[in-house]
Amino acid sequence: LQGIFVLGLPYALLHSGYSGLFLIILAAALCCYTGKILIACLYEENEDGRLIRVRDTYEDIANACCKKLAPQLGGIVVNVTQVMELIMTCILYLVVSGNLLSHSFPYVPVTEKTWSVIAFVTLLPCVFIKTLKIVSKLSQLCSLVHFIIIFVVMTYCLTQIHQWSWAKFRLSIEFEDFLVSVGVIIFSYTSQIFLPALEGNMKNPGEFRCMLNWTHFFACVLKTTFALTAFLTWGEETKEVITDNLPSFLQTLVNLCLLTKALLSYPLPFFAATEIVYACISRGNHSNYSSTLFALGVRGSFLLLTLLMAMFIPHFALLMGLTGSVTGAAMTFLLPSLFHVKLKWKKLSFLEKCADISVFILGFLCSLAGIVCSIKGLLEVFG
């Protein structure tokens, strides 16, 4: 919830003004809600009225919803959507790593793509990751690095408190710029892809809802505080990535921290994507696909695929925006609300039904707006 997207939040406030602060809070509440209803779809009541976990993955939920239409259709759609988003996330980390290295060492005569290859070499041990425990340890380190970055930026901003002014906030906004802000804010909270596995691996799954409440609350407080202090410091000069606003002596330090964060963030989406693909391939009694060597082959292929796409796809940021608008909105808003209505309709109260339908409509509008903006950007680039 505190990913690299956080560094774009001050820029989002530049284009959304006061409404951006409201959006940060609203997005936290909505993403927390869809996370809860998604996990609720994993459970059914038994004869004694107790909740039993009858499904394990996002795919299982989708298949349960589509079993009358086509038993495997829902799972296929969800798996393709998940893998697309996860691969795009991995590629983004490689692209960001190459960019950060080139900016940190501008005097070294090496291209950005070559820096991406160097970053890729450090990620090769990812092929040996077998459990979520290893990923969680790396994620802990990633969180520590993230807080160092936030601390450095906010400390500098507090030294500039004498020039803060609320007059820097916009009252009027342009619609297209506002849509960009909505995308940045909403997708800085997305975590639904990982939630079924996370809840299933918890020592006490009964604490899941409480955990989700607190993590989204603290994420919201941190995002709001960070975005606000950074925007009040730089105002109209706020750049897309706020660390670019820092003085040069701090920029190199923060860029290296960001590089570390990007590399430590890579294993989580990589592990999730390879697990989905490996599970799909080895489903059933295919003994040929259960070997360690085959698992290493799947992970190695994915690792190489992310590097090749990062190096050879032009205008990757725009393509990622287009994919993110489709997959991100679908996995965060559309599918959780749709599945919850489908599986729990008879047990939902009137207000819960209204909430699910409202979230679905909101997700559809966000997705549609993001697709239109991304396609427009691609058309402008390609003339």
Side-chain angles (χ1 to χ4, degrees):
L1 295 178
Q2 292 295 110
I4 285 179
F5 263 121
V6 174
L7 300 175
L9 289 180
Y11 185 73
L13 284 190
L14 172 66
H15 290 298
S16 58
Y18 286 102
S19 61
L21 295 174
F22 172 72
L23 279 172
I24 292 173
I25 299 168
L26 179 64
L30 289 176
C31 290
C32 183
Y33 174 73
T34 57
K36 289 176 184 176
I37 62 175
L38 180 68
I39 296 304
C41 293
L42 296 173
Y43 291 82
E44 295 289 348
E45 286 185 3
N46 65 4
E47 295 174 355
D48 301 325
R50 292 178 58 195
L51 287 174
I52 304 295
R53 200 177 204 261
V54 296
R55 304 175 188 101
D56 293 316
T57 64
Y58 215 139
E59 179 190 4
D60 292 340
I61 298 170
N63 284 333
C65 290
C66 297
K67 64 181 179 182
K68 290 183 180 179
L69 179 66
Q72 302 298 320
L73 178 63
I76 292 170
V77 171
V78 163
N79 281 337
V80 170
T81 306
Q82 284 187 103
V83 171
M84 279 177 64
E85 184 170 352
L86 291 166
I87 286 178
M88 285 295 188
T89 304
C90 290
I91 296 166
L92 176 64
Y93 287 134
L94 272 177
V95 171
V96 166
S97 297
N99 181 270
L100 288 169
L101 279 167
S102 67
H103 281 86
S104 300
F105 305 104
Y107 304 110
V108 179
V110 172
T111 64
E112 199 168 302
K113 288 183 178 180
T114 306
W115 280 122
S116 291
V117 175
I118 293 170
F120 168 79
V121 171
T122 67
L123 295 169
L124 288 175
C126 286
V127 297
F128 301 107
I129 295 176
K130 295 179 181 179
T131 67
L132 204 59
K133 281 188 176 182
I134 298 171
V135 177
S136 72
K137 298 255 187 267
L138 295 173
S139 294
Q140 279 184 318
L141 289 173
C142 178
S143 298
L144 178 63
V145 174
H146 178 83
F147 283 115
I148 292 171
I149 297 166
I150 298 298
F151 176 77
V152 170
V153 175
M154 289 191 67
T155 302
Y156 177 79
C157 289
L158 291 172
T159 64
Q160 307 297 312
I161 198 169
H162 58 277
Q163 64 180 22
W164 287 10
S165 171
W166 286 96
K168 294 177 180 179
F169 269 94
R170 288 186 180 190
L171 291 173
S172 61
I173 53 175
E174 291 186 17
F175 185 65
E176 282 193 20
D177 290 338
F178 177 73
L179 289 178
V180 172
S181 300
V182 170
V184 171
I185 291 168
I186 288 176
F187 296 126
S188 71
Y189 281 106
T190 56
S191 62
Q192 276 68 8
I193 286 178
F194 310 109
L195 294 185
L198 179 60
E199 194 260 0
N201 280 277
M202 285 180 71
K203 190 173 183 180
N204 184 2
E207 296 180 349
F208 178 81
R209 292 175 71 89
C210 181
M211 177 276 291
L212 214 59
N213 287 336
W214 282 110
T215 49
H216 280 78
F217 171 75
F218 283 119
C220 180
V221 170
L222 287 166
K223 287 175 195 290
T224 306
T225 306
F226 176 72
L228 196 56
T229 53
F231 177 71
L232 288 173
T233 301
W234 286 289
E236 291 291 327
E237 295 177 5
T238 301
K239 295 181 180 178
E240 286 189 48
V241 180
I242 199 62
T243 52
D244 290 342
N245 282 101
L246 292 171
S248 56
F249 71 94
L250 282 177
Q251 223 176 74
T252 302
L253 169 66
V254 172
N255 278 349
L256 290 174
C257 287
L258 279 171
L259 171 67
T260 306
K261 177 176 170 54
L263 294 175
L264 288 171
S265 298
Y266 185 97
L268 179 58
F270 173 79
F271 176 80
T274 53
E275 284 296 291
I276 291 168
V277 173
Y278 183 65
C280 290
I281 295 173
S282 60
R283 188 172 288 122
N285 298 314
H286 303 297
S287 56
N288 294 336
Y289 299 136
S290 60
S291 68
T292 303
L293 190 62
F294 179 74
L296 288 174
V298 170
R299 296 189 201 114
S301 300
F302 259 73
L303 203 64
L304 190 59
L305 175 66
T306 58
L307 174 67
L308 293 174
M309 290 181 73
M311 292 184 69
F312 297 113
I313 294 181
H315 313 300
F316 177 75
L318 286 170
L319 288 171
M320 184 153 194
L322 179 59
T323 307
S325 297
V326 179
T327 61
M331 302 303 289
T332 307
F333 296 121
L334 298 176
L335 295 182
S337 54
L338 181 65
F339 293 161
H340 195 233
V341 166
K342 173 72 175 173
L343 294 173
K344 308 288 183 179
W345 179 260
K346 293 179 181 178
K347 297 176 183 177
L348 296 179
S349 67
F350 176 73
L351 286 177
E352 287 174 323
K353 290 175 183 177
C354 289
D356 285 353
I357 293 168
S358 299
V359 169
F360 181 86
I361 293 171
L362 181 65
F364 177 76
L365 292 175
C366 284
S367 181
L368 185 64
I371 290 168
V372 170
C373 288
S374 298
I375 290 176
K376 185 177 178 183
L378 284 169
L379 290 174
E380 286 175 1
V381 167
F382 288 108

